[in-house]
Amino acid sequence: MAPPNNVVVITDILNEIDDSLALLYLGSLHQTNTISLLSVFTCDLNPAVRAAEASRILVDLLNISDVPVVSGDHPLAANQLVSLALTHNANLTVVVIGELSLLNDACLLNPAAMQGVHTYGFQGTATLDNKNDNNVVPSFDSFNFSRNKPAALSTFQILQSTSPTPTFCFCGKWAAYRIKLRKDDFGKIENPLVRDSLLDCVYRGMQHFRLANPVKFYSIYRDIPLHLRSTDSSDFRWAHEHPLSDLCCPYDPLLCAMLFPPNPPLSSSLKSTLLKITNTKSHYFLGNHPDQHGISDDSVDAVKAQIMNNICNGINNSATWWTKLRIPRKFPNRESPDCDWAAPAASISIIHSRLLHLNSPLLQKKVEVQVSDDNFHFGDQRKGPVVELTLADLFDLSESGNDHFLSYAKSNKQFYATQVELNGGNEIPKSLSIFKLLGLNSTISIEAVNLWFGYMQTHTNPHFDSKNNLLFVCCGKKTVHLQSPNNSDFKTNPIWSVHANHVVEAASTSTSASASPSTIITLEAGEFLFIPEGWFHAVDSVPNTMAINVFFDDDQSMDRLCAENPQLLSFYSKCAMAHNLKRQKEEQNAFAIFSTHCLPQTF
């Protein structure tokens, strides 16, 4: 079986992991030019726009944004599917991993075009109608076919009303049941954010199953203790506090592997049954019956490994996807693979001792430290004095407390080292996962890596940043109050302010980002938070908190952000003017050098 490598996918992707994995599988083949993924169509009896958004995230994840994603809700979706069929006809494979409404619409719109497609792949089982020329009939014990039975029957009737018929490939549940995906199978995904998000997708699907049919769920996962069997839809302790064995079955990825085996090929392991019914009908069935599952005992591990290796390799070779979401996102504790100075620590003393052990020049780095009476920091240096200290002084102050000379010299004053730029060498903890994550994406430009250290409780007033921000807590705890940039409650400082990105003082009487409801996220040591560009945030820190943040740029449109959120305009205007002045000065310097060394001198 060698179907054409021009591929269209119809998927009901949303919360089901197998749809996501199938799209990742095909996308990774598109990365390597094994196939040409022409388009992704979403379908769902619910609004398909959400499914389209999910598909776009995965397309972005694989850095294959050239693949268009079309929502099945679009009035011209069926027309676009027909257009692709007319263009590629016998050189086209249509992979259907969702219900058949959209495909049926296309068949009704132009039967001849859809009959001319070479191969259709369906996730589901089918039978043969002996009384009707052995035509294929979809089995309604298959989820995708049962969701819209009239559409399924109509689709197969139209596709088989011509000769020769297209080739049908069915991958049924009995093959998928042979392969159980476990948490360890996702371990080769180097990007922990993607890995955790895919696992979250698994857990959401299992949560729906658990609450909808608890008797069946607990008969499968009978080892889950009673105290974790709550009926709360937001309670995922059963997943996180109990080691689950089997998570899911790869229904849709298995169909994709059946159609397009990875390298090395799976053809020797996947024993699909070829039914050459007549000279004009050739169809393939895998897992169509419990006794015809098509996967032998000695090939189960090989099939699973090759599918997951293909998916993991595609992800590992791709861009960092989570910046595309444009919403804040917290990621859980990370263990540093090496003994890095900034690895999560229970106390400031531990970080201090690591730096001493490394003989790090960071300790003698002179930094400007904000001094405050009330622990409240506006980010505007005019609001309070600034002193110059070394980080070693701050460590000593933190560890010595009231016995330190600074405590006597600055009675009741609070010291906060803000935005201490780290410049490489031992200063930047390269082994931390946050830096590995950013390094995965060549389209990301790291603008600055900063250290934040307060030995007493500190507060930072609401503000936004002109760069994407990844905040990592090394020690202590931070509570971040977040508001979307479209919040109209805010009025930022005027353009001539030192910090035009901070809200005016009258609006900064509390650490809450706004009077409007805000998202509050608490970060412990080892956790980090992605704060998209333009999002307002206020930060509270407990005593002896140290954090690192990374400011980075990507392809976010500043014009669009300002058009949608005019309160950001003053700060961006200031940034633009500063950039232009800097560029003008560089050009003047360049011309001065050129005129000195290259132009004839007049005496």
Side-chain angles (χ1 to χ4, degrees), residues 354-383:
R354 290 172 183 165
L355 289 167
L356 289 171
H357 177 73
L358 292 170
N359 195 25
S360 173
L362 187 58
L363 288 172
Q364 302 309 315
K365 188 182 185 74
K366 290 188 176 182
V367 299
E368 290 187 342
V369 179
Q370 291 189 15
V371 183
S372 171
D373 291 320
D374 56 4
N375 304 345
F376 202 89
H377 298 274
F378 281 84
D380 191 329
Q381 294 177 0
R382 296 175 302 174
K383 298 293 182 182

Side-chain angles (χ1 to χ4, degrees), residues 154-172:
S154 172
T155 297
F156 280 96
Q157 181 180 359
I158 293 172
L159 292 179
Q160 296 178 96
S161 62
T162 185
S163 181
T165 63
T167 295
F168 296 150
C169 297
F170 294 90
C171 183

Side-chain angles (χ1 to χ4, degrees), residues 17-29:
I17 187 63
D18 59 323
D19 294 87
S20 299
L21 293 179
L23 188 53
L24 290 171
Y25 181 94
L26 294 173
S28 65
L29 295 180

Side-chain angles (χ1 to χ4, degrees), residues 462 483-492 503-504 506-508 512-518 536 567:
Q483 269 295 344
S484 169
N486 60 14
N487 186 337
S488 59
D489 293 348
F490 291 126
K491 181 180 179 182
T492 54
V503 303
V504 295
S508 306
S512 173
S514 167
S516 299
S518 60
F536 287 94
Q567 70 270 37

Side-chain angles (χ1 to χ4, degrees), residues 401-412:
N402 293 332
D403 294 333
H404 195 273
F405 78 93
L406 284 173
S407 297
Y408 294 104
K410 301 287 184 182
S411 178
N412 297 321

